[in-house]
Amino acid sequence: MRLLATAVAVALATVALSASASASSLINNGYEDLVVAISPSVDEASAGDIIASIKKAMSEASSVLFKASRKRAFFRDVKILLPKTWTSTPYDEAALNENFEDSEIRVDVRNVVYGNQPYTDQPGGCGIPGRYIHLTPEYLTDDVEAGWWGPRNKTLVHEWAKLRWGVFDEIGYPHDPTFPLFYWDTQITVDGIEEVVIPNYCSNQRLSGELKDIVSKGQCTTTNGFPDENCRFLPDEDQEATSSLMGYYYIKSIVEFCDTASNELFSHNALAPNRHNLMCQGRSVWDIMGQHSDFDGGVNPPIAALTPTKFTVLRQEEAKFCLVLDYSRSMDDFQRIEKLQRTAQRWILHEVAQGSSVGIVKFWGTATKTSGLVEITDQTSRQNLANLIDLNLGPSTSIGAGLSLAVNEVLVEQKNPVIVLVTDGKENKRPYISEIKDKVVSSGARVVTIAFGKDADPNLESLAEATGGKTFTVVDTDDGGMLDDAFQGALTYQPGDKLTDTKVQIYEYEYQGKLTLLNETFSVDSSVGRDLEFRVDTNDANYVASPPVLVRPNGTVISSSQFDSGINMWTIDVPLAEEGQWAWTVTLTGSSDKYIRVGITAKARDPETMPIYTRAWLSATEDVNTATNPIIVYAEVKQGNNPVVGAHVRASVTQPDTTAQAVELDLLDNGQGADTQAGDGVYSRYLTVYSTTGRYAVKAQVWDDGSAFVNNGFTTSRRRHPRSIPAFPLETPTYCCGSVVPMDPELATPTGSFSRSASGGSFRATTIPSGDVLPPSRVTDLQSEVKSSILTLTWTATGDDFDSGTVSGYEIRLSANRSQLLDDTFDVADNETLLLSLEESTARPELLLEAGQKVEFNVTIEDKMEMDRFYFVALRAVDDGGSASPVSNLATAVASTPPPTSESLPGWAIALIVIGCLVAVAGIVGGVVFAKKKDWI
């Protein structure tokens, strides 16, 4: 039976190759508007050294990139963005709209798992751009620290390839179950077909080098001919190979990326079990690069020479917000204008930072400038602006008129301009969005669009996308929480403060109904507690019978709330809230159409303690055909930059049909399905349930269910090195990270009880799946073990629709020839390779587990495997519609001949055998396999 090849599977292989979402552009071979941003958490005392190092490293990296891209790309224009908090460092000009959160290269405090190793945050799949490159101040200013990772210029190009083109490392990782340092390969030699162990890398020539035990500093120990976990391949400094920069890029001769089209004998090695091959299904780095918009179709052809990199040092300015608010008569429906008034006033009165400025434009069939920019300096300036948000509506809708006033009058020539556009209807009067869009883009204003109700104009998402803004949607059944999240989303464009001085949402609660007493609890964890603010707001002050109170963990009551009658909100401030279980109480009059909302924020417990926080986002926000480009929901949970693992993360997806319940989606950090790396603190999952076309809004809730830990690194990642630049070859510390981010249980710390929430924004589905067209995700963590005559396979269950649901069955094959276990050969492989047929698996309920659970399969090998010969195992999952997943990663298996027992041989015979084996092994080790400067392929 030939399994269905779905359209979705094809789309997944190509959609990833779309243009980068990053801000920089490749224009006439030069990257422009590339932003290297420095975090406010970085000490300004090192400013001069950091800026000088960035300039030197990026200038030198430009030359490396030019050669590696075959003279098709270099860094022409780089902007170095200083935080607003740096007041003593000179800069060239104020930033227009650049900010830390959208920058492509970030200088920030270390992620202790990586230490000072540069890395690219890369939660997407093949061809999907990464989020950012992370560099530490120590890496930039300390030559010894930088030296462990090779020349800065080549290291930056190595990471840039991941960030820009969505490619991955072509090497193995220490202790990694999926991407090992060594693997078995079948080669044709003068003595016939032979299985040999080779290092895991991609190169166009053999690399010479030695194997070394990093603990004993001597020769490597092997088991059945395979090096143990302490063994490393150390390539020689002098090589003939010129690729790949995604492998041993620090070798002087290596200056290119691997290419399938190479005429060399050893071009791209599609079968090496490295991360790039698994993620990109064996395609070379140049194959992926060639389909990126930077080079696709022959654009940016080779040029004769590059030009020097231009650097501009910027400093972020305070935000200038212009509220562009829909005052058409349809805003009277579902009390939209009342909700908008309360939310906008609360935002002005309590959320906008001191020093930011706010202007107001109202539009209906025309537009009026209600207020030019007013700097927020005190409560009076806030109140005066809030009073301008009235309820007076007019006929028709011209969104373009409101945008035109915003960019031509309110925000003209302003730095860090942000438009917050709220509308509920389609345009029916000129000017339209399309007529003013180019002007908005050229102004540099970021547009945050808030679609109110199901009929909001369909052009909102494309406007936000074009300006680098954000999109939100608010359903009419919402009591104000979604609208509040949208306004909060605009605040990310304010200059950031140190993470320890940033407000973190630690609790949310909403209630509508007839109860007269609410008594709920919340946790203040050890990472937060300073400047805690407790808020209760309602759509009717008469709904609250008595002011709310807080109860400390020791039972002490705090009843000193302040009430703002203009926005119906009570607040209680606690300068330093102690860790533990808190409670709050409020009495209500009881009314089914009234509601209250509770929100609690706090800062880090002290200036030295990083808070636990979460961010959420979507794989796409513009108009999306979800039948061919399924949405992935992401949520990041970290303490500072350190991953939080084992947390419970649930996404709530509000549907366009307000009568439909929200979809609850548990996000996973297991390295399977939508999640590309286990344990990195990024939780993700495919959204596979769609009720209708329209706008979907996403919010993530995070909490500890007793199993959450902060990954504080692993022993070797924290090791200090001699204070001298390492000599070649680089005996680097354990570098990170492959399929799993390692964690040392002795160093990890429990988070304790905590909760966080974050809005992920919204997207607009133009087409939804019809029928069972979504295939199972690929299994990428297949592992095997042979004991006695039993082969045990383990893997993480995939789902009926990507990583959700339960598959109908698995097909498992075993072969000594790995070429029989690829996607294009799996169907036609002979029956002798079959370990488990699809039909047989359907009768094995222990194998058909919910996606995300661990599966174990045991089979007696009997005559299926020869002794002391290496085999490869792979599987494929099938859903009930007949759609198959891609073939899994290959696992290796060997059945070893057991050594003779002491009962069958006299002692002298055993001694002779042992001595003989030692002599033989020593001869092999010394003369062939482990010889220094022998060739490895």
Side-chain angles (χ1 to χ4, degrees):
M1 177 182 67
R2 189 157 185 87
L3 300 170
L4 296 178
T6 69
V8 173
V10 175
L12 286 176
T14 58
V15 71
L17 304 176
S18 60
S20 169
S22 59
S24 61
S25 302
L26 186 60
I27 301 173
N28 296 326
N29 302 96
Y31 285 108
E32 299 182 358
D33 297 320
L34 168 60
V35 177
V36 181
I38 302 171
S39 167
S41 297
V42 173
D43 190 346
E44 189 178 5
S46 302
D49 291 339
I50 291 173
I51 293 170
S53 181
I54 292 171
K55 290 180 177 181
K56 183 176 187 294
M58 293 299 297
S59 293
E60 294 175 352
S62 184
S63 298
V64 175
L65 177 63
F66 187 64
K67 183 175 180 61
S69 65
R70 300 170 185 174
K71 299 185 176 182
R72 298 179 70 177
F74 65 95
F75 297 127
R76 176 184 290 124
D77 172 33
V78 175
K79 298 174 180 178
I80 302 174
L81 181 65
L82 310 183
K84 184 71 169 63
T85 53
W86 283 18
T87 58
S88 302
T89 304
Y91 57 95
D92 299 318
E93 59 189 70
L96 174 58
N97 58 17
E98 296 82 3
N99 65 85
F100 182 80
E101 293 297 332
D102 291 330
S103 61
E104 292 167 285
I105 302 178
R106 303 181 188 177
V107 181
D108 200 358
V109 295
R110 69 174 62 185
N111 174 334
V112 73
V113 174
Y114 287 89
N116 290 316
Q117 174 190 342
Y119 68 91
T120 301
D121 188 283
Q122 206 172 2
C126 182
I128 298 178
R131 293 174 64 206
Y132 59 87
I133 297 171
H134 181 279
L135 306 175
T136 67
E138 293 85 355
Y139 173 79
L140 288 169
T141 60
D142 188 331
D143 289 341
V144 174
E145 290 294 337
W148 289 105
W149 314 109
R152 288 191 183 99
N153 54 4
K154 297 178 77 173
T155 302
L156 285 174
V157 172
H158 174 85
E159 298 301 329
W160 177 259
K162 300 177 190 177
L163 177 79
R164 184 72 183 186
W165 305 310
V167 299
F168 299 85
D169 286 334
E170 292 182 300
I171 53 174
Y173 302 91
H175 316 293
D176 195 283
T178 305
F179 311 124
L181 292 173
F182 303 92
Y183 67 101
W184 285 97
D185 192 26
T186 302
Q187 297 185 356
I188 299 176
T189 68
V190 292
D191 297 323
I193 297 176
E194 190 175 327
E195 280 119 3
V196 297
V197 177
I198 59 177
N200 189 359
Y201 65 83
C202 186
S203 179
N204 63 344
Q205 290 287 322
R206 290 184 177 94
L207 296 182
S208 62
E210 67 173 329
L211 293 183
K212 188 173 184 179
D213 189 300
I214 60 172
V215 176
S216 70
K217 306 301 182 183
Q219 295 176 340
C220 288
T221 302
T222 64
T223 302
N224 294 324
F226 200 83
D228 70 8
E229 63 180 15
N230 294 323
C231 189
R232 301 290 184 271
F233 172 59
L234 302 181
D236 296 328
E237 183 173 5
D238 296 323
Q239 304 282 354
E240 295 183 3
T242 58
S243 69
S244 169
L245 282 168
M246 301 314 296
Y248 290 112
Y249 62 86
Y250 56 79
I251 295 174
K252 185 176 181 180
S253 66
I254 291 182
V255 293
E256 300 174 343
F257 296 108
C258 266
D259 188 353
T260 306
S262 171
N263 292 322
E264 301 282 354
L265 178 62
F266 298 96
S267 58
H268 173 65
N269 183 358
L271 298 179
N274 56 53
R275 195 175 185 196
H276 180 80
N277 278 336
L278 182 69
M279 298 296 292
C280 296
Q281 297 182 310
R283 300 168 63 192
S284 74
V285 171
W286 256 110
D287 286 343
I288 307 305
M289 291 168 56
Q291 295 190 46
H292 190 279
S293 60
D294 284 351
F295 307 121
D296 190 25
V299 297
N300 295 297
I303 57 176
L306 75 167
T307 58
T309 306
K310 174 189 174 184
F311 293 94
T312 307
V313 180
L314 309 174
R315 194 181 78 164
Q316 192 173 7
E317 291 292 291
E318 298 288 0
K320 282 77 175 180
F321 296 103
C322 183
L323 302 183
V324 179
L325 308 178
D326 191 341
Y327 269 71
S328 61
R329 286 176 179 159
S330 59
M331 287 290 288
D332 201 29
D333 298 340
F334 302 99
Q335 298 182 319
R336 292 170 186 157
I337 190 63
E338 288 87 353
K339 294 176 183 177
L340 175 59
Q341 183 189 50
R342 285 195 302 272
T343 303
Q345 287 182 338
R346 183 169 58 247
W347 184 77
I348 293 171
L349 290 169
H350 295 275
E351 304 296 347
V352 180
Q354 292 284 105
S356 293
S357 299
V358 177
I360 302 172
V361 169
K362 300 175 183 177
F363 69 89
W364 49 96
T366 184
T368 181
K369 182 175 72 173
T370 305
S371 172
L373 287 175
V374 174
E375 184 178 355
I376 301 297
T377 57
D378 53 23
Q379 199 58 34
T380 300
S381 59
R382 293 179 184 274
Q383 192 64 60
N384 290 340
L385 278 169
N387 291 340
L388 297 175
I389 311 294
D390 57 30
L391 303 174
N392 301 321
L393 305 177
S396 302
T397 303
S398 176
I399 300 174
L403 292 170
S404 180
L405 266 184
V407 297
N408 290 319
E409 293 191 27
V410 179
L411 298 175
V412 62
E413 297 185 356
Q414 293 293 328
K415 299 293 187 179
N416 200 5
V418 181
I419 293 174
V420 181
L421 171 62
V422 184
T423 183
D424 75 331
K426 296 179 181 178
E427 300 174 290
N428 54 28
K429 192 172 181 180
R430 299 182 64 184
Y432 300 133
I433 292 175
S434 59
E435 296 172 311
I436 194 67
K437 184 176 180 179
D438 288 345
K439 178 67 174 178
V440 177
V441 172
S442 64
S443 75
R446 310 267 189 172
V447 181
V448 178
T449 63
I450 304 174
F452 219 148
K454 64 179 181 179
D455 296 322
D457 197 278
N459 294 308
L460 296 179
E461 283 77 14
S462 62
L463 177 63
E465 181 80 11
T467 63
K470 301 179 181 182
T471 62
F472 297 88
T473 190
V474 180
V475 298
D476 286 319
T477 55
D478 178 61
D479 291 329
M482 296 177 71
L483 188 57
D484 187 57
D485 287 341
F487 270 83
Q488 291 285 339
L491 296 179
T492 59
Y493 298 114
Q494 293 178 151
D497 209 333
K498 291 181 179 180
L499 187 56
T500 53
D501 290 327
T502 301
K503 286 183 179 180
V504 177
Q505 185 90 31
I506 66 171
Y507 179 80
E508 286 184 316
Y509 182 90
E510 295 184 8
Y511 175 76
Q512 178 177 345
K514 296 183 177 181
L515 287 177
T516 57
L517 177 65
L518 291 179
N519 188 356
E520 300 291 334
T521 62
F522 65 94
S523 296
V524 176
D525 60 271
S526 61
S527 75
V528 295
R530 185 162 47 99
D531 295 341
L532 182 141
E533 183 178 59
F534 170 81
R535 295 181 182 177
V536 176
D537 66 85
T538 177
N539 57 342
D540 187 345
N542 294 322
Y543 184 49
V544 178
S546 62
V549 299
L550 278 178
V551 183
R552 296 180 184 273
N554 63 5
T556 304
V557 176
I558 305 174
S559 57
S560 55
S561 64
Q562 295 181 344
F563 178 61
D564 187 332
S565 59
I567 55 175
N568 297 334
M569 186 171 77
W570 290 261
T571 60
I572 298 176
D573 295 320
V574 182
L576 185 59
E578 55 266 43
E579 181 182 355
Q581 192 85 344
W582 287 63
W584 61 268
T585 301
V586 63
T587 56
L588 308 174
T589 57
S591 177
S592 60
D593 63 342
K594 308 300 180 185
Y595 72 84
I596 69 164
R597 291 190 302 122
V598 175
I600 302 174
T601 61
K603 297 178 181 177
R605 181 159 296 279
D606 58 66
E608 303 303 319
T609 301
M610 290 291 187
I612 295 173
Y613 69 91
T614 187
R615 294 189 182 98
W617 68 96
L618 302 166
S619 58
T621 57
E622 208 173 345
D623 294 351
V624 182
N625 180 342
T626 59
T628 58
N629 185 18
I631 291 291
I632 301 176
V633 181
Y634 294 97
E636 177 183 63
V637 189
K638 290 186 175 179
Q639 181 175 18
N641 281 324
N642 299 341
V644 173
V645 299
H648 199 113
V649 183
R650 178 168 295 166
S652 179
V653 184
T654 303
Q655 304 193 62
D657 181 1
T658 56
T659 63
Q661 281 194 324
V663 175
E664 301 291 335
L665 190 65
D666 286 334
L667 309 185
L668 303 175
D669 185 15
N670 63 354
Q672 300 299 305
D675 195 69
T676 60
Q677 188 177 55
D680 62 352
V682 176
Y683 299 70
S684 56
R685 207 156 193 179
Y686 284 103
L687 178 61
T688 59
V689 178
Y690 303 91
S691 58
T692 182
T693 57
R695 291 183 171 96
Y696 290 75
V698 178
K699 187 162 189 174
Q701 299 284 344
V702 182
W703 68 93
D704 170 45
D705 58 5
S707 59
F709 289 82
V710 179
N711 187 342
N712 292 316
F714 48 101
T715 303
T716 50
S717 71
R718 300 164 64 91
R719 188 177 62 198
R720 301 302 299 171
H721 304 288
R723 299 305 299 166
S724 59
I725 297 176
F728 196 96
L730 302 180
E731 297 183 47
T732 62
T734 301
Y735 52 93
C736 210
C737 293
S739 61
V740 180
V741 175
M743 181 177 74
D744 188 334
E746 294 184 1
L747 298 176
T749 55
T751 62
S753 180
F754 80 97
S755 64
R756 301 288 188 270
S757 63
S759 171
S762 65
F763 67 94
R764 185 169 175 266
T766 57
T767 306
I768 62 174
S770 177
D772 188 6
V773 299
L774 304 179
S777 291
R778 182 185 193 182
V779 171
T780 59
D781 65 344
L782 178 65
Q783 300 293 318
S784 66
E785 182 180 19
V786 179
K787 287 186 177 180
S788 190
S789 61
I790 303 298
L791 170 64
T792 299
L793 301 178
T794 57
W795 67 91
T796 301
T798 185
D800 180 85
D801 293 331
F802 295 122
D803 51 14
S804 295
T806 305
V807 298
S808 293
Y810 294 96
E811 185 177 7
I812 306 176
R813 292 184 181 273
L814 176 144
S815 175
N817 183 358
R818 67 170 66 198
S819 63
Q820 291 186 312
L821 304 180
L822 306 178
D823 280 297
D824 56 354
T825 60
F826 204 80
D827 273 331
V828 297
D830 57 59
N831 288 332
E832 292 182 1
T833 67
L834 203 59
L835 273 184
L836 183 73
S837 69
L838 178 62
E839 292 74 14
E840 291 171 332
S841 72
T842 59
R844 302 282 295 268
E846 70 274 14
L847 302 181
L848 308 180
L849 303 181
E850 183 80 13
Q853 298 187 36
K854 284 295 184 181
V855 183
E856 180 175 306
F857 171 61
N858 295 294
V859 61
T860 303
I861 55 176
E862 296 178 345
D863 58 351
K864 296 182 182 295
M865 296 175 65
E866 297 177 18
M867 290 294 132
D868 301 319
R869 186 177 184 186
F870 275 79
Y871 290 81
F872 303 95
V873 188
L875 62 78
R876 185 169 62 178
V878 183
D879 68 13
D880 54 13
S883 296
S885 72
V887 175
S888 71
N889 65 298
L890 298 184
T892 57
V894 60
S896 302
T897 303
T901 64
S902 58
E903 294 181 359
S904 59
L905 289 173
W908 61 268
I910 295 173
L912 288 177
I913 291 174
V914 170
I915 293 171
C917 289
L918 289 175
V919 171
V921 170
I924 295 173
V925 170
V928 183
V929 180
F930 294 163
K932 180 176 176 65
K933 300 187 182 298
K934 283 294 179 181
D935 289 341
W936 285 78
I937 56 174

